[in-house]
Amino acid sequence: PTVSTKHANIGWTESEGLYIQDIGSTAGTYIEFDEIIVEEGLIFEIGNFQYECRKLNVDAKSFQLVYFKSLTIEDRGMESSLACEVNAFKPFVIGRNPTAKDIDNCCSIPDITLSEAQVEITFEHDQFKIKNIANDR
């Protein structure tokens, strides 16, 4: 990845704290995270897969999590319509094999770089949060 002339804005707000926002860079802006707040259109990577949060409805306490791109060389650029509905009523876990941890509200990803349970999506204080739990379980 390279850095564009105008790549990203980094700022601070009292309500959200530190933030980074891509401003149309060529290569995109990536950060490693322990926890991130879900917003409409949020794109993030877990292992070799890229996801987008769509149809965020805070009133209904739900959103659609869409896997839309594999980042592995052999699958690069292929898109998928795999979508999971995430709601506020039960934490949602993404990992290599979350059912091995007795988690039933989950999405299994065939990626050996992931932990059995890699991230957990919860609803707290009227917002969805994605938390890295790879080292918690």
Side-chain angles (χ1 to χ4, degrees):
T2 60
V3 177
S4 300
T5 304
K6 293 185 177 181
H7 196 99
N9 288 328
I10 300 173
W12 175 269
T13 64
E14 283 295 320
S15 61
E16 295 182 35
L18 183 68
Y19 70 88
I20 185 166
Q21 177 185 26
D22 188 275
I23 54 173
S25 68
T26 304
T29 301
Y30 304 96
I31 58 171
E32 290 196 21
F33 65 89
D34 288 325
E35 185 175 283
I36 191 166
I37 295 171
V38 172
E39 295 177 351
E40 179 72 31
L42 173 70
I43 296 174
F44 62 97
E45 294 174 13
I46 300 175
N48 290 317
F49 295 89
Q50 203 170 50
Y51 300 84
E52 182 176 5
C53 300
R54 300 180 183 169
K55 299 181 183 176
L56 178 63
N57 185 336
V58 175
D59 293 332
K61 298 184 175 130
S62 69
F63 73 94
Q64 188 178 58
L65 181 66
V66 179
Y67 146 72
F68 72 101
K69 193 178 292 182
S70 171
L71 301 173
T72 60
I73 291 173
E74 58 273 3
D75 297 334
R76 189 170 301 278
M78 293 186 64
E79 295 201 4
S80 171
S81 60
L82 176 65
C84 304
E85 198 69 30
V86 179
N87 64 55
F89 308 108
K90 194 171 186 182
F92 187 87
V93 175
I94 301 171
R96 180 173 32 88
N97 188 12
T99 54
K101 300 283 188 181
D102 294 325
I103 300 167
D104 60 356
N105 194 29
C106 61
C107 181
S108 293
I109 305 299
D111 184 344
I112 61 170
T113 65
L114 298 181
S115 296
E116 287 182 339
Q118 187 74 35
V119 299
E120 180 178 64
I121 303 172
T122 58
F123 190 79
E124 304 168 23
H125 308 292
D126 294 327
Q127 58 192 6
F128 284 98
K129 293 182 179 181
I130 302 172
K131 181 180 180 190
N132 186 340
I133 59 168
N135 297 322
D136 294 353
R137 296 182 185 252

